[in-house]
Amino acid sequence: MYRRSRLGPVIMVALAALLAVLQGCSLRKNTAATRKYTAFITRYNIYYNGDEHYKETLKQMESGYEDDYSQLLFAHPADARRDESAPQPSGDFTRSIEKAQKAIQLRSIKKKPKKKSGKSSDPAYKAWMKRDEYNPFLHNAWMMMGRSQYNNGDFLGAAATFYYITRHFSWLPATVTEAKIWQARAYCAMGWDFEAENILTKIHEKELESNSRLREIYDLAQGSYWSRTADPSKAIPYLERAVKAAKGSQKSRLNFMLGQLYQRQGENAKAYQAYKRSSTSSSPYRTQINARICQSEVYSGASIEPEVKALRRMTRYDRNKDYLDQIYYAIGNLYLSRRDTANAIENYKLAAEKSTRNGIEKAIDQLALGRLYFETHRYELAQPCYSEAVPLLPQSYPGLDSIKRRSDVLDELAVYSQNVTLNDSLLRLSEMDSAAQFKVIDKIIADLKKKEEEEAERQRREEFMADQQANGSQMQNTGNAASAPTTFMINNDDSWYFYNTATRNAGRTEFQKRWGARKLEDDWRRRNKASFSFDEFENSEGDTAEGADAENPEGGDLAEGEGNATQENADLASDPHNREYYLRQIPSTPEEKQTANDVIKEGLYNIGLILKDQLEDYDAAALDWDDLLRRYPDNIYRLDVYYNMYMMYARDGRKNLAEHYRALILKEFPDSKYGMAMRDPAYIDNLRRMNAEQESLYEKAYAAYLDNRNDEVHAAYRDMMQRYPLSKIMPKFMFIDALSYVTENKPEEFRSTLKELLERYPQTDITPLASAYLKALAQGRKLHSGASNTRGMLWDLRLGNDSVYNENDSITFDLNPDVPQLLVLVYPTDEVNANQLLYDVAYHNFSAFVVRDFDLEQMNFGRLGLLLIKGFANFEELNHYRKVMDEEGRLTLPPEVRPVMISVENFNKLIHQGRSFEDYFRYVDAQAEEQPVTASPGLTDSPPKDSDGFPVADPSADPEVQPEDDVPSESASSEYEMHPASEPASE
C-alpha cells in the first residue's frame, strides 16, 4: 500500500516530462506522432477559442443588423461593408484573426518528413513530399482567418488569404473549392465583378453535389453577385436554394430579398408570399412591419378591405406608434393599387403627419405623395413633398438623379402653378354673391382656428415633456452647484414682425396679391432675370425724384377720428381671423380681374414651357397650353405656344399635329421670325442638319475675326440671320460681329449690335460682358481700337486672380534695358499644344546654344498660356537670342504664338498685381509718344523697330480714343475697358 502511493506521483511526473519532450520536438520533426499531436494542440488549444468567438460574433451580426428595407437587401450583413452609405453591421472578428495567426505562426509544420526507400516513383508519395504544410488541421485556421477578414470588411486581405489557400492546400479539394467561393465573394465586394464571375463559372456542379455546405455557400455567393448586377433577376434561382439552407434572421433576410426581386420582376403573387415568409414570429418586429408594408405594394386580391382593416387595427397598438407613418403608407399603397387617388393621397398625408423619424421612411412617404400630386398637375403641392424628401434620401437610392432633377424643376413649376390656382380661386370667388363668399371665407377661418388649436396643443405637450425632462435632470443634479441650467426661457414677445403670426401672414398676403407667388431669388420682380437694365445704358442728365408727399398730394393731415378708423380697418384687414382679410384679396374692379387673368396666362404658358423643355413631358405640356388657348384665345403667348407645340410634335414624330401648328403660324403670324423661318417646307430637314452647319459657319466667322477680315465677319452674321434666325449660337455671331466694329472704330454700330443682342438674348453667358461694355459706353468710355483683333483676344487676360490692388490706380514700369530680361511666348491654350511647344524650344536651345543654358517654365492663366525663357542678363542678350531664333530656322513658332520681351521685374509686377499684358503695352505706347523706348514688347507682328533693331510702339495707335485714367481689366466691377477682352472660343 505504501509503495503504490509513492508510485502515483512518479508516474505523473514522467508523463509530464514526456509531454514536454513531445512538445519541444514536434515542430522540429515530421512524424505521424508529431503531426497528430500538433493537430490536436492546434485544434483545442488555439483554434477552438477563435472559432467560438467567430460563431458568436457572426450570430450577433446576423441577428442585430438593421437592414435598409428601402433598397434591395444585402445577401449577408457583411456585404454591407462594401458600401459606406449603407447601415453598417456590428461585430469585430479581430480576436478570431489573431487566434488564426497565432496557430499558423506556432503550429505550422514546414519540415519535410524522412524519405522512404522504394517510394520515389509513387505519384501519391511524390505529391506528399511536395506539400507546403504538414499540419493536417492548419487549413481550418487559414479559412477562419479569411472568413474573419471578410466579415471585418478587409476584402483585399480576405481575397489574398483565400488565394493562398487555393495555392498551398491543393490536396484538399473541398477546402480549395470553398476558398474559391469566398475569394469570389471578396472580389465581388471590391467591385471586381469580372474576376468574381470568372471564378464562379469555373466551379463545376460535381464539386457541389456531395457537399451541402459548399452548395449553400456557392448559392449565397452567386445570389450576392447577381443581385448587384444590371440584371438582378438572375439571382433568384440561387437565393431560392440558399434560403432553404438558411436559419434564423438570415432566413428572414433572404426571403425578404426574394420578395424584392419578385416585385421588380412583376411577379406580385410570389413577392407577396416571400414577404409573408420573411415575417415570422421569430423575426425582428422591424422586419415584420416592413414586410407587411411591402405586401401592401404587391397585393393583388379582389378586395382590399380586409387588408385595410388589418392595417388600421395595427394603428391602435402602442408598440406601433413609431411605425404609424409606414402603416398609413401601406394603406395608401392599397388604395393606389385600385386607382383610388383621393384615399391614397389622404393616407400618404397621414403618413407624413405621423412620422416621428426624419429618415428614409419619411422620404418614401413624401415621394409617393409628391408623385401623385405631380401626376395630377398640382405642382404647388408636389414641390414641398419633393423638397423635403430629397435631403433625406441616401446617395445610393435608385433613381436619385431623376428625383433631384424633378425637385429642381418643381421649384420653378410651383411658383406658376400656385399663381394659377390662387388667381383661379379668387376669380371664382369674385363671381359669387356676398353670402356665398362669406360661407367660403368662414370655412377657411374655422379651419385656420382648428389648425392653430392643434398646433398650440402640440406645443403644450412638447413643453410639458421638456419640463418633465428638465425636472428629472435637475433632480439628478441636486447638490451640484456648478451644473448647467435645465430650464430655458422662450421668447413669446410678438412685437417683432417675425414673432407676430398675424402680421407676418398679412404681409405675405399683401405681397402675393400684388406680385403673385414668387420664387425666393435675386431680381424676383423681373420676369426676365437678366443682370442688366436698359435704363443703365442711356445717358441721363438728372434724376427724377418723387415727392415725399406723393401719397398725400394735398399735404394735409388726416383728422384724428378718420385716422383711428383707418387704423382699425387696417388691423381687421391684416388679421386672417376676420373676413376683411380675405375680402381684400378678391378682385372686384375690371383692372384687378385683368391682372389676375394676366397672372394665369403667364403661369399656364410657363408651366407648359418647363414641362416641355426641362422634363420633356409633352402630353402634360400640351394639356396646359391647350387650356391656355381655350380660356384665352387672344393671349400674348399664342405665337410662342404655336411654335413650341410645332417643335414638340415634330420631335415626337406626330407630323399631322406639327403641320397643324405650322399652318397656324403661317396664317396668324406670317411676318414673325417664326413665320419667316417656316415658309420653307423643308424647315424640319434644315433643323436636323442645322447644328453641324451652324458650327461650321461660326468657325469660319471666328477664323475671319482672328485674321482681321471684319467684312467677312459682318457678311457671315447677315447670312446666319437670314438662314438660321432662331439658332442657339446666334448670340455668339452677334458678339463677334459687334467686336469687329471695335477695330473699325465704329462705336455706334458696336453699341447698337450689343443692345440688340441683349434685347433678343437676355440670358446667355455673353450677357454680362455685353452689358458691361454698354454700361461703360454710357459712362463716357471710348473704344480703344487697335490694329488687330487678336491682340485684344489674349492680352487683356489678367495674370492672376488674387490681387488686392485698386484697379483704378495707375501703374508704372521700369524700361531699363540693362536689367535681367525674359522672353515670354504667349499662346491660346485651346489652339497650341503646350508640351510640343516646350519640346521644340528646348530642342532649339540645346542645338543652337552649346555653352549657354536657358531655364524654361510654363504658366497658365485660363485660356492664356505662357512659356517663359529665362537667363538673359540684359536686353542685348535677349535680342541676340531672337536674332539666332530667326536666322537659324530650327524653331518655327506656330502662328498663334506671340513672343513678348519684358524684364523680370516688370513681369513679376504683372503677376503680383494681377495685371494684363495690355497694361504693359499701354504704358509702353504712352512712353513711346514722349521718347524712344528700347525695352518695349517684342511682338512678331507688332510695331516696327527702330534704327537699332529694337521694337517700338505702334505709331498708328490713336491716343485720343484712350480714356484719360487707367481702365480696369475685364473683372472690374464698376468700369470696363472698351477693348474686346473676352471672346467665346471656337467650339
Side-chain angles (χ1 to χ4, degrees), residues 158-225:
T161 299
F162 291 124
Y163 178 75
Y164 179 90
I165 295 172
T166 61
R167 300 286 293 178
H168 295 276
F169 293 90
S170 57
W171 64 90
L172 299 172
T175 301
V176 170
T177 301
E178 183 180 357
K180 287 181 178 179
I181 296 172
W182 278 99
Q183 184 183 0
R185 289 187 65 182
Y187 283 157
C188 183
M190 291 188 292
W192 299 4
D193 295 340
F194 175 80
E195 291 79 1
E197 184 181 11
N198 186 47
I199 291 176
L200 292 174
T201 54
K202 290 181 179 180
I203 296 176
H204 301 292
E205 187 69 22
K206 64 180 181 180
E207 300 178 48
L208 309 172
E209 291 176 351
S210 60
N211 194 322
S212 59
R213 183 168 178 274
L214 284 182
R215 165 64 71 181
E216 177 187 354
I217 299 172
Y218 177 79
D219 289 335
L220 189 64
Q222 285 278 24
S224 178
Y225 167 74

Side-chain angles (χ1 to χ4, degrees), residues 370-424:
R371 194 178 300 114
L372 274 180
Y373 282 142
F374 185 87
E375 292 171 356
T376 54
H377 305 281
R378 300 164 74 179
Y379 305 115
E380 74 280 5
L381 299 178
Q383 187 271 337
C385 297
Y386 276 87
S387 179
E388 187 172 357
V390 167
L392 302 177
L393 294 173
Q395 292 299 316
S396 56
Y397 189 81
L400 180 61
D401 290 339
S402 61
I403 293 172
K404 286 182 175 180
R405 182 165 173 258
R406 176 175 286 191
S407 178
D408 292 340
V409 173
L410 277 171
D411 289 342
E412 191 172 355
L413 267 177
V415 175
Y416 298 109
S417 179
Q418 186 175 353
N419 288 344
V420 171
T421 303
L422 174 63
N423 284 278
D424 270 337

